[in-house]
Amino acid sequence: MAKWCFGIDLGGTTVKCALFQTDGTVEEKWEIVTRTENNGEAILPDIAATILAKIEEKKIDKAEVAGVGIGVPGPVEETGEIPCAVNLHWGRKNIEKELGDLTGLAVKAGNDANVAALGEMWKGGGQGAKNLILVTLGTGVGGGIIVNEKIVTGAHGAGGEIGHAFVNPAETKACNCGNKGCLEQYASATGIARLAKEALESETEDSVLRTVKNISAKSVFDAYKEGDVLAGKIVDKFAAYLGNALAVFACVSDPDVFVIGGGVSKAGQVLIDAVEKYYKAHAFTASKETPIKLATLGNDAGIYGAAKLILSKDN
Amino acid sequence: MAKWCFGIDLGGTTVKCALFQTDGTVEEKWEIVTRTENNGEAILPDIAATILAKIEEKKIDKAEVAGVGIGVPGPVEETGEIPCAVNLHWGRKNIEKELGDLTGLAVKAGNDANVAALGEMWKGGGQGAKNLILVTLGTGVGGGIIVNEKIVTGAHGAGGEIGHAFVNPAETKACNCGNKGCLEQYASATGIARLAKEALESETEDSVLRTVKNISAKSVFDAYKEGDVLAGKIVDKFAAYLGNALAVFACVSDPDVFVIGGGVSKAGQVLIDAVEKYYKAHAFTASKETPIKLATLGNDAGIYGAAKLILSKDN
């Protein structure tokens, strides 16, 4: 009977690591540097070494370790192979096999955004749900879809790529992905800052935002909380794009709950309230009352989800 | 080892029935009337009787029957219960238990649109796919989402309710569901006829459609095939709504294939070509080449899907 497992969140600059008890209690968390030089050839050996050192240090019987779950920044195929991970300087790699051989432990890999969704379902804002959509509002907009407690990877690893949902036929500027009118262009931190700049140019009214040097999503939400009318218009525009998009997503997978995470979500309940107004107006009857909640695990969603990944055989 | 199973497609006027070999070969197809009087109390006994009579007639050993799959016009919960089925005059009913008790066979029930998606995946336009989105363009717009060969029912039975995806914030008329701007308002047979009437009023150019008394989706596509310019504009508008919506759906579940069925799809490849133009323009890079295919099973999708439902334990 396994007592332990490891949850690894592999990012472009650091690797977040955690030793878990199988009930989800974190025994210890630590980080190591991600060494991306030489096509990232040291990354997996470094992770294996830190895991084996922790097993040694804690005098853990390897037979009591369920395995290692790992979230990676890129698509992961059902075979455990990744076709590429740009931020790690990796080409095609069978990460499950390689890390398994290096550690002698079972390894299960998943895309980092999907893994975070699993984490929020297990121990975060979506606790108790079996069907969940995680929306991560950061520099970009990421997402993860969980159906019946399992990650929706999709046919091309693009399940949950909701930041690139087409929401505005009138857009003239290109998204980083090359398309025009992606949700990410309005609902990410960058997108909200852009909406703000456009509003300051097109509107004439006074606003505290006119005194801010580098307008960020945070400055918009801060001004909104202080009752700034122009900030309210910007938040409303953001909320319309996101709330309406969530209503469409609900027609596909009909989740128990939406969970909103990422840096922008630090704005808190006012963000949820703004988005919910549009969601409720446009969601299909059966899904109108689906709650929209804040993520609660922050940067730890990845390690929790990775641990859950290896603990749920089917994912 | 089971050799046989039954696939039942329960509709508001007729019940389509089929006896299948477990490899998917149809041994026999027949229909009975759906008797909806007295709150539809005769419906399940009628279905049980016709199944038991067929077993008797064919001298089948009941031990060799895997069971009965049944598609019903309404949401089906994971317990096999349906909260209501308006067209059958049913309130809450545990159809799996009731029909199971009446037949002495294992019964598995699913929503009819979802079950049709399973049928098209098994033996129709989506053969070989594990992840599929079926779009049914009929009087309304229905859908079914398959992820890893399983139906996505959703938390409120609204998985695949893609006809009610919000696609037009400028809409002033209400959809049958009460919302405004649902996909169904533009991509159903009714929706296309409406787009045509609006085009005939707002545009001044000549068109064969001006001579048609009751404009239908068929008359629009027929005129389009003959090169009618105004019909082309109507088809283009329909195709933009549907193609753009498919691009959003792909960001959620990233299917191997889209399958388009229902009466409107009889327009054939020209419809697919028109929709594909918008899909390719707005789908996320990884999903841009996802094929859009015509359904091939027609009215038989339901019986095939129902049979598959009972043959796949997990659905």
Side-chain angles (χ1 to χ4, degrees), chain A residues 233-294:
Chain A
K233 288 184 184 174
I234 299 161
V235 168
D236 194 63
K237 205 160 186 180
F238 149 84
Y241 278 116
L242 183 54
N244 291 345
L246 297 187
V248 176
F249 303 157
C251 292
V252 181
S253 76
D254 183 24
D256 294 290
V257 60
F258 290 96
V259 178
I260 314 287
V264 174
S265 73
K266 289 183 183 159
Q269 192 58 36
V270 296
L271 180 151
I272 301 292
D273 293 344
V275 172
E276 203 165 59
K277 186 181 88 174
Y278 285 94
Y279 177 76
K280 274 188 192 289
H282 300 125
F284 181 56
T285 323
S287 311
K288 262 193 206 301
E289 301 307 321
T290 303
I292 305 176
K293 295 187 178 175
L294 289 166

Side-chain angles (χ1 to χ4, degrees), chain B residues 87-106:
Chain B
N87 295 339
L88 305 177
H89 302 181
W90 279 355
R92 178 165 285 277
K93 198 181 260 301
N94 191 327
I95 186 172
E96 290 183 4
K97 186 174 183 317
E98 284 192 35
L99 191 58
D101 288 347
L102 288 165
T103 56
L105 293 167

Side-chain angles (χ1 to χ4, degrees), chain A residues 100-159:
Chain A
D101 288 347
L102 288 165
T103 57
L105 294 166
V107 175
K108 190 78 197 153
N111 166 267
D112 53 3
N114 292 338
V115 165
L118 205 58
E120 288 288 344
M121 181 191 78
W122 191 34
K123 296 289 175 185
Q127 231 172 115
K130 288 183 168 187
N131 302 283
L132 174 150
I133 296 184
L134 173 71
V135 184
T136 309
L137 307 174
T139 314
V141 172
I145 317 284
I146 308 285
V147 168
N148 278 330
E149 302 188 66
K150 286 173 201 149
I151 289 170
V152 176
T153 305
H156 318 89

Side-chain angles (χ1 to χ4, degrees), chain A residues 78 145 148 154-162 164-166 179 244 248-249 251-256 281-284 286-288 290, chain B residues 78 145 148 154-161 164-166 179 244 248-249 251-256 281-284 286-288 290:
Chain A
E78 287 203 10
I145 317 284
N148 278 330
H156 318 89
E161 280 287 0
I162 56 179
H164 301 286
F166 179 63
N179 285 352
N244 291 345
V248 176
F249 303 157
C251 292
V252 181
S253 76
D254 183 24
D256 294 290
H282 300 125
F284 181 56
S287 311
K288 262 193 206 301
T290 303
Chain B
E78 287 202 12
I145 316 285
N148 277 331
H156 317 89
E161 279 287 0
H164 301 287
F166 179 63
N179 285 351
N244 292 345
V248 176
F249 304 157
C251 292
V252 180
S253 75
D254 182 24
D256 294 292
H282 300 124
F284 180 56
S287 311
K288 262 193 208 298
T290 303

